[in-house]
């Protein structure tokens, strides 16, 4: 198998870290055992565009164990862990990913995956799927999508009637977004901020832009560390929820004046822009955990800047013409994956269990329409059951009388 990675000699470190992640991914391992025994993916060609992390490595490994030929490129130029790509390349995966690759290299690497003519795509952000559509590549039976931003793009493609194969929106499984987006992003975003800055969260004014699944998790964790959390929103219901959850809610223009740390997690564009940067305090830290690096207007930040220098890894100092200093984390790219390692394996266990089962679902259901669908509730629930079991947690089940009561309407007051 060909590959394009930084350094194959990093493989031994990669193996150790992949094994560590594997020990926290019992649900994926169980699915992997079945895939290996039954060779459910025998000779299938699978093209993945995912963050190249230790958790992804374990997903890729079980696909290969199931008999598939697997090709992998990065879903973000800064999130590739080079030791992981080395280990996967050594294990016969077609990896095309190097940390720090530029935009041209990013798409070159994606092209290498597409040259393998994959039948199933596993995407994170929909760059791979949209490229296949733009190039009119043939032979794809279906695809899965990992994240909120990707699902939004794909639903738009469905609406525009341009989708050429079915998509399973893995993000929309409850066992994905309730846990990965909330607890995964919550914890790993804080991890990224700390690794890039080592600032004290306690006592800070911590601004969270967007109170969706990721924003809820981040606000919860920042509060847990003693921050005064401020939420900005555009959705009145989410704004109300944030207020009733006990946070301050205000427009970004007001938050800009008081915030010490700003993190965007909206999936939207230019959430922090010129007028906000001009109002910010000297020393304010700005980062993003949304999928693309468009949430902070970097072009405007550069225009406002007199001097720029790197202060620490993933922390860039911008001295504005006024003399004020602002600090941008990981070039405005996902701070949890660039400055830290992404979500803990324990939560990716469920996300990637959904991915593995979604691939199998597409192959077993030849009549899926060219729309964005979700995995059946039964599969979602089976993942929750397995996760609970792996945690040693038992729950009650409905008695026959309860089942009857919950499906009838006759009994009232
Ligand atoms: N960092 C990670 O590892 C990670 C993990 C999962 C998802 N994501 C990405 O994070 C982003 C958010 O995902 P989510 O699942 O929380 O989505 P979501 O749809 O649940 O929440 C997004 C929220 O942002 C709000 N919003 C939109 N525009 C806004 C604006 N201008 N100002 C303030 N709020 C605004 C929306 O009203 C919504 O409540 C997406 O890009 C997603 O792909 C990142």
């Amino acid at each position: 198998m060909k590959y394009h990675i930084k350094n194959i000699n990093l493989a031994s470190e990669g193996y150790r870290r992949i094994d560590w992640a594997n020990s926290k991914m019992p649900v994926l391992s169980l699915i992997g055992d079945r895939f290996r025994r039954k060779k459910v993916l025998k000779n299938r060609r699978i093209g993945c565009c995912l963050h190249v992390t230790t958790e992804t490595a374990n997903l890729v490994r079980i696909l290969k164990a199931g008999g598939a030929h697997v090709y992998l490129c990065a879903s973000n130029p800064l999130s590739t862990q080079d030791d992981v790509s080395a280990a996967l390349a050594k294990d016969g995966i077609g990896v095309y990913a190097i940390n720090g690759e530029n935009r041209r290299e990013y798409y070159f690497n994606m092209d290498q995956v597409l040259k393998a003519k994959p039948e199933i795509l596993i995407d994170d952000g929909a760059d791979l799927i949209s490229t296949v559509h733009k190039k009119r590549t043939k032979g794809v039976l279906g695809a899965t999508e990992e994240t909120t931003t990707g699902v939004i793009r794909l639903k738009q493609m469905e609406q525009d009637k341009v989708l050429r194969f079915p998509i399973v929106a893995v993000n929309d499984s409850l066992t994905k977004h309730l846990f990965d987006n909330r607890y995964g992003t919550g914890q790993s975003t804080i991890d990224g901020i700390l690794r890039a800055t080592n600032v004290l969260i306690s006592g800070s004014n911590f601004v969270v832009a967007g109170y969706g699944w990721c924003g809820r998790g981040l606000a919860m964790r920042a509060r847990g560390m003693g921050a005064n959390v401020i939420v900005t929103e555009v959705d009145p219901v989410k704004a109300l929820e944030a207020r009733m959850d006990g946070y301050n809610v205000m427009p970004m223009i007001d938050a800009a004046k008081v915030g010490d740390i700003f993190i965007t997690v909206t999936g939207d564009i230019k959430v922090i822009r010129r007028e906000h940067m001009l109002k910010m305090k000297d020393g304010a830290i700005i980062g993003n955990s949304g999928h693309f690096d468009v949430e902070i207007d970097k072009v405007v930040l550069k225009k406002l800047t007199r001097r720029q220098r790197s202060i620490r890894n993933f922390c860039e100092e911008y001295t504005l013409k006024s003399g004020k200093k602002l600090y941008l984390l990981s070039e405005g790219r996902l701070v949890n994956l660039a400055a830290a390692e992404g979500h803990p394996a324990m939560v990716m266990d469920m996300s990637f269990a959904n991915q593995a089962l979604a691939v199998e679902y597409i192959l077993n259901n030849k009549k899926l329409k060219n729309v964005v669908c979700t995995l059946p509730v039964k599969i979602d629930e089976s993942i929750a059951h397995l996760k609970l079991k792996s945690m040693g947690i038992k729950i009650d089940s409905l008695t026959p009388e309860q089942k009857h009561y919950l499906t009838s309407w006759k009994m009232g007051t």
Side-chain angles (χ1 to χ4, degrees):
M1 187 74 85
K2 287 188 193 158
Y3 55 78
H4 180 55
I5 58 165
K6 185 163 185 197
N7 180 358
I8 196 77
N9 296 325
L10 297 172
S12 59
E13 191 186 336
Y15 284 134
R16 284 197 298 274
R17 294 198 316 109
I18 293 167
D19 288 348
W20 167 253
N22 187 47
S23 70
K24 312 279 175 220
M25 302 179 88
V27 178
L28 190 69
S29 297
L30 273 176
I31 295 168
D33 290 345
R34 181 169 62 78
F35 277 19
R36 186 174 296 108
R37 256 192 344 269
K38 303 202 167 162
K39 289 282 173 280
V40 295
L41 305 175
K42 194 163 178 224
N43 286 332
R44 294 297 190 177
R45 290 184 310 280
I46 302 180
C48 311
C49 178
L50 294 167
H51 300 294
V52 183
T53 63
T54 54
E55 294 77 24
T56 297
N58 283 303
L59 170 65
V60 163
R61 274 182 169 180
I62 72 149
L63 299 175
K64 182 165 185 275
H69 305 286
V70 190
Y71 308 86
L72 170 68
C73 62
S75 59
N76 187 292
L78 291 188
S79 62
T80 297
Q81 297 170 8
D82 290 314
D83 57 337
V84 171
S85 27
L88 288 176
K90 233 178 170 169
D91 280 354
I93 306 293
V95 194
Y96 302 90
I98 298 181
N99 188 300
E101 60 197 23
N102 61 30
R103 193 170 184 279
R104 194 188 52 77
E105 291 161 335
Y106 176 83
Y107 280 103
F108 171 82
N109 286 335
M110 190 174 287
D111 277 348
Q112 307 317 302
V113 168
L114 293 180
K115 274 186 190 155
K117 303 210 177 318
E119 299 158 282
I120 302 284
L121 307 177
I122 301 181
D123 210 349
D124 185 338
D127 276 349
L128 184 62
I129 300 172
S130 60
T131 301
V132 159
H133 278 79
K134 281 176 202 152
K135 295 192 167 194
R136 307 200 67 75
T137 312
K138 294 206 171 76
V140 178
L141 304 172
T144 71
E145 171 53 50
E146 171 80 5
T147 197
T148 317
T149 285
V151 172
I152 291 171
R153 292 177 79 190
L154 294 164
K155 284 191 174 155
Q156 202 50 57
M157 287 172 76
E158 179 191 331
Q159 231 176 56
D160 292 351
K161 299 197 175 6
V162 295
L163 264 189
R164 298 211 328 268
F165 42 80
I167 310 282
V168 177
V170 162
N171 183 72
D172 293 357
S173 290
L174 293 177
T175 48
K176 200 281 184 179
H177 65 263
L178 280 179
F179 304 95
D180 168 319
N181 300 30
R182 184 162 41 168
Y183 302 108
T185 311
Q187 176 169 316
S188 60
T189 301
I190 298 278
D191 187 11
I193 298 166
L194 294 183
R195 291 196 205 194
T197 63
N198 197 25
V199 289
L200 186 68
I201 303 283
S202 185
S204 66
N205 285 331
F206 193 108
V207 182
V208 178
Y211 201 64
W213 290 109
C214 296
R216 288 181 184 104
L218 178 57
M220 189 197 302
R221 292 297 172 247
R223 176 160 66 188
M225 293 187 78
N228 170 42
V229 177
I230 298 167
V231 170
T232 73
E233 252 297 344
V234 291
D235 178 329
V237 178
K238 303 272 180 63
L240 198 55
E241 184 188 358
R243 184 65 198 134
M244 297 230 179
D245 283 345
Y247 304 111
N248 293 307
V249 178
M250 60 184 80
M252 183 57 86
I253 197 73
D254 295 335
K257 294 179 216 157
V258 291
D260 299 302
I261 302 167
F262 296 81
I263 301 293
T264 52
V265 256
T266 67
D268 198 357
I269 193 167
K270 294 185 186 169
V271 177
I272 294 183
R273 39 185 194 270
R274 190 172 196 279
E275 61 264 36
H276 306 131
M277 291 171 192
L278 290 175
K279 289 262 187 281
M280 282 179 187
K281 296 194 289 191
D282 184 36
I285 293 166
I286 317 169
N288 166 53
S289 237
H291 188 78
F292 286 119
D293 60 337
V294 295
E295 303 209 15
I296 300 160
D297 193 339
K298 292 192 284 184
V299 177
V300 141
L301 179 58
K302 287 212 165 98
K303 277 192 190 147
L304 292 172
T305 293
R306 159 156 63 86
R307 193 170 78 120
Q308 182 186 339
R309 62 174 177 153
S310 176
I311 215 83
R312 294 165 58 100
N313 280 345
F314 303 107
C315 182
E316 197 80 359
E317 180 185 78
Y318 288 82
T319 306
L320 306 200
K321 288 169 189 151
S322 62
K324 177 168 82 179
K325 291 184 169 74
L326 298 179
Y327 296 87
L328 179 66
L329 305 185
S330 57
E331 301 172 19
R333 295 193 186 276
L334 301 147
V335 66
N336 64 326
L337 277 139
E341 295 172 54
H343 298 358
M346 198 172 164
V347 82
M348 293 313 291
D349 189 23
M350 286 187 282
S351 307
F352 286 163
N354 274 286
Q355 284 286 12
L357 296 179
V359 168
E360 191 182 28
Y361 181 72
I362 293 170
L363 290 171
N364 289 345
N365 290 276
K366 301 266 156 37
K367 290 198 175 139
L368 291 176
K369 297 208 167 82
N370 294 351
V371 295
V372 179
C373 64
T374 50
L375 275 180
V377 175
K378 267 199 174 343
I379 295 184
D380 209 352
E381 283 179 356
S382 74
I383 293 171
H385 274 301
L386 287 175
K387 191 71 181 172
L388 283 169
K389 199 169 164 206
S390 77
M391 296 166 86
I393 297 170
K394 292 182 182 155
I395 60 169
D396 289 323
S397 49
L398 293 171
T399 63
E401 187 185 7
Q402 287 170 337
K403 263 189 199 158
H404 175 71
Y405 177 74
L406 292 173
T407 50
S408 61
W409 56 271
K410 289 190 177 151
M411 207 189 295
T413 313

